[in-house]
Amino acid sequence: MAFLQGKKIIVGITGSIAAYKTPQLVRLLVRAGADVQVIMTEKAKDFVTPLSLSTVSGKPVLDNVQEGGQWHNHVLLGRAANLMLIAPCSANTLARMARGLCDNMLLAVYLSAVCPVVIAPAMDEDMWQHPATKSNVEKLRSYGHSIIPVGIGELASGLTGAGRMAEPEDIISFIRQQSAQKVHWDNTTGRRALVSAGPTYEAIDPVRFLGNHSTGKMGTALALALAGKGYIVDLVAGPGVPDPQHPGIQFFPVVSAQEMFAACSSHSKAATLIIMAAAVADYRPEHAALQKIKKSAATKELSIKLVQNPDILAYLGQHKTPEQTLVGFALETENEFENALKKCKAKNADFIVLNSLNDKGAGFGTDTNKVTVVKADGTKIELPLQSKQKIAEAIISEILN
Ligand code: PMT
């Protein structure tokens, strides 16, 4: 697998002659598997065109906090990134970053970024050697940022000396080294969550499935409540669940329990808070027929052999890290509290949110819910009937408390 597979990298480009090398830099990052968002300053456009960069990154370049009456959410961009690379970083942008100034899109995203920041400076030697620049570089180092050493060679002034931006290949090697040293790639300082929502469909044949009545409303309400608290949320949702289209929510549609297991186990690694609100099928047909099963006069009875699906919550409980909080849901019809507590312990969850089919207006499909938050130590908090959005907010505040 490419070493930057799935990593979100913001490439900030500022006004320096070295900007002409950035299409190659972006190409190498994309080749390494990164999902690259380019942000340019106005001055950078004197050296390289947004068109070249959007072509190699596969995305429109951002250069302004607002565009065509639409506001780009710099806070979420900064929070969602795994790495921010500023290359080339001019003496001017270096100074502005050190001072916390914020008068363009790049600086606004930089100030909101909670991921590692890597800076590849580029300027003439006299500027590079100036005590003001040296002190700015030290300041940025003290913020925990990495500074890629400048190269020595011919400069824009025609002079020869130190100040050239590192070559794109060397920048990639620098990032590779950092990732090998297990630099803290996860952004969001603990504010990344995984939520599952909705039903799973287990295929019987190409037109039939085993499913359930979950609509995903509860899980989606939880994802929205977490995004409202500044979390970046990976929402893994079963069939029929609409994408909430929120900039803080990354939507991953799946169909079967096995697909949900694959998506959840992969996204769980980055999450510090995991809430499994999906209604996952415990069993699936052992074999899904390739063609539609036909009715025949001779076949009066038909049996389908079911095999067990992976238990996603139990798997996440077995692999829980000390930084993670794991929350499951339970839909019970009898001995509700006892069963929920049993589930909480058996699956190594920290909380189980219990809803009962016996409560009117609670559970599947409704816009309201009434739940009991059961803690692993056996204590419980009852949340009265209210909208799923309000219930979601109350659940989150109980968990975070
Ligand atoms: O989607 P809505 O229409 O809004 O309805 C919400 C809801 C009722 C579906 C939701 O609030 C809820 O209760 N979800 C869990 C229902 C359920 O399937 O409970 P369970 O007791 O079967 O599972 C217990 C826990 O294990 C759940 O967190 C479930 O996601 C998880 N599980 C179950 C089976 C499995 N193979 N893997 C799992 O991870």
Side-chain angles (χ1 to χ4, degrees):
M1 190 198 280
F3 84 105
L4 290 175
Q5 199 61 48
K7 299 289 181 218
K8 290 183 182 298
I9 298 194
I10 292 174
V11 176
I13 304 175
T14 72
S16 154
I17 179 77
Y20 82 89
K21 297 179 184 171
T22 53
Q24 171 64 359
L25 175 62
V26 170
R27 196 187 287 279
L28 292 175
L29 288 168
V30 170
R31 234 181 248 160
D35 173 359
V36 176
Q37 174 64 65
V38 174
I39 303 176
M40 298 175 85
T41 62
E42 276 311 301
K43 288 282 174 225
K45 293 184 201 163
D46 292 340
F47 302 97
V48 61
T49 67
L51 184 61
S52 320
L53 290 157
S54 64
T55 307
V56 286
S57 67
K59 274 189 199 167
V61 166
L62 300 179
D63 54 6
N64 212 326
V65 178
Q66 67 95 27
E67 203 171 77
Q70 203 197 341
W71 180 67
H72 295 301
N73 191 330
H74 56 85
V75 177
L76 286 174
L77 262 172
R79 283 197 162 177
N82 294 105
L83 179 82
M84 182 162 189
L85 167 66
I86 301 167
C89 186
S90 65
N92 179 39
T93 295
L94 201 81
R96 289 171 173 278
M97 288 164 67
R99 298 281 172 285
L101 296 178
C102 178
D103 55 4
N104 62 33
M105 177 73 175
L106 196 160
L107 290 168
V109 172
Y110 162 69
L111 279 183
S112 312
V114 286
C115 56
V117 176
V118 173
I119 300 164
M123 62 199 78
D124 255 90
E125 184 170 33
D126 295 341
M127 297 162 85
W128 178 243
Q129 300 296 2
H130 195 282
T133 304
K134 284 189 173 162
S135 128
N136 289 333
V137 167
E138 280 324 302
K139 188 110 202 163
L140 292 172
R141 278 208 176 99
S142 76
Y143 299 160
H145 304 339
S146 306
I147 312 286
I148 304 184
V150 294
I152 297 173
E154 199 180 324
L155 301 165
S157 59
L159 300 173
T160 300
R164 281 170 68 93
M165 183 180 86
E167 293 302 321
E169 291 74 10
D170 297 333
I171 295 177
I172 299 293
S173 303
F174 186 94
I175 293 173
R176 184 191 287 275
Q177 263 173 22
Q178 290 225 324
S179 71
Q181 286 163 12
K182 300 223 179 338
V183 162
H184 182 58
W185 277 104
D186 186 24
N187 37 15
T188 67
T189 51
R191 285 181 167 267
R192 190 158 199 127
L194 165 66
V195 177
S196 73
T200 61
Y201 286 179
E202 310 301 322
I204 296 171
D205 67 17
V207 296
R208 304 180 182 93
F209 57 83
L210 296 176
N212 61 65
H213 297 293
S214 172
T215 55
K217 285 181 186 172
M218 191 64 243
T220 302
L222 287 158
L224 286 166
L226 285 166
K229 286 208 169 291
Y231 276 79
I232 299 296
V233 185
D234 293 322
L235 175 60
V236 176
V241 180
D243 181 346
Q245 304 276 355
H246 186 288
I249 300 177
Q250 308 196 42
F251 187 72
F252 299 97
V254 295
V255 176
S256 65
Q258 285 175 301
E259 284 176 23
M260 189 171 272
F261 174 77
C264 288
S265 53
S266 150
H267 293 293
S268 66
K269 296 184 185 87
T272 51
L273 176 56
I274 301 174
I275 308 183
M276 294 288 105
V280 188
D282 286 321
Y283 293 90
R284 67 175 184 276
E286 185 178 31
H287 302 292
L290 292 176
Q291 305 299 334
K292 184 180 170 192
I293 299 171
K294 296 268 187 309
K295 187 172 85 174
S296 81
T299 314
K300 294 287 180 222
E301 285 180 10
L302 191 64
S303 302
I304 299 173
K305 185 176 174 193
L306 300 180
V307 293
Q308 212 168 63
N309 269 327
D311 189 318
I312 308 167
L313 184 63
Y315 173 89
L316 297 177
Q318 279 160 18
H319 294 83
K320 190 168 69 171
T321 65
E323 295 77 36
Q324 285 179 332
T325 301
L326 181 62
V327 184
F329 264 70
L331 188 62
E332 300 290 341
T333 52
E334 55 179 348
N335 297 329
E336 295 157 353
F337 175 74
E338 291 73 21
N339 284 339
L341 187 57
K342 224 190 271 172
K343 235 172 229 178
C344 193
K345 291 188 170 147
K347 302 196 186 195
N348 196 25
D350 299 293
F351 301 87
I352 287 282
V353 181
L354 165 68
N355 18 204
S356 164
L357 274 188
N358 300 324
D359 290 325
K360 218 168 165 275
F364 286 136
T366 52
D367 288 325
T368 52
N369 210 355
K370 172 177 186 272
V371 303
T372 305
V373 180
V374 179
K375 291 190 194 172
D377 64 7
T379 54
K380 59 178 178 175
I381 300 124
E382 291 186 358
L383 299 173
L385 189 72
Q386 54 200 309
S387 72
K388 279 189 173 160
Q389 201 52 56
K390 288 263 175 259
I391 282 280
E393 282 156 22
I395 291 170
I396 301 297
S397 81
E398 287 304 334
I399 291 166
L400 297 182
N401 283 342

